[in-house]
Amino acid sequence: MPGGREPSGPRVSDDMTVEVALSLMAGARVDHLVLCDGDDRSTGLITLARLAVLRGSPAYTDRIRLRDVLAPTG
């Protein structure tokens, strides 16, 4: 992450599905997850609020991965 500071919180693979992430967040009672790539480098942060909005959208499917949520749109 820029600035050399790593965000704190549970670190998960960015290929995790949104469904699994939501379940993990509920079990861990956290409001965000730190996403990591295959080399365990932080690639971003995802919040429970963002995933909840996504899950409620008509475009949502249970195959969406966290890296897809962070991907730039348009």
Side-chain angles (χ1 to χ4, degrees), residues 20-70:
V20 172
L22 287 168
S23 179
L24 185 139
M25 292 170 106
R29 296 185 178 166
V30 296
D31 65 353
H32 70 276
L33 297 172
V34 178
L35 304 184
C36 300
D37 63 14
D39 294 325
D40 201 34
R41 289 183 297 214
S42 296
T43 58
L45 188 107
I46 194 77
T47 64
L48 179 59
R50 186 168 180 188
L51 294 181
V53 168
L54 173 67
R55 191 175 190 200
S57 78
Y60 178 76
T61 74
D62 62 359
R63 294 181 185 203
I64 295 177
R65 306 237 175 236
L66 295 176
R67 72 170 64 111
D68 300 329
V69 176
L70 289 183

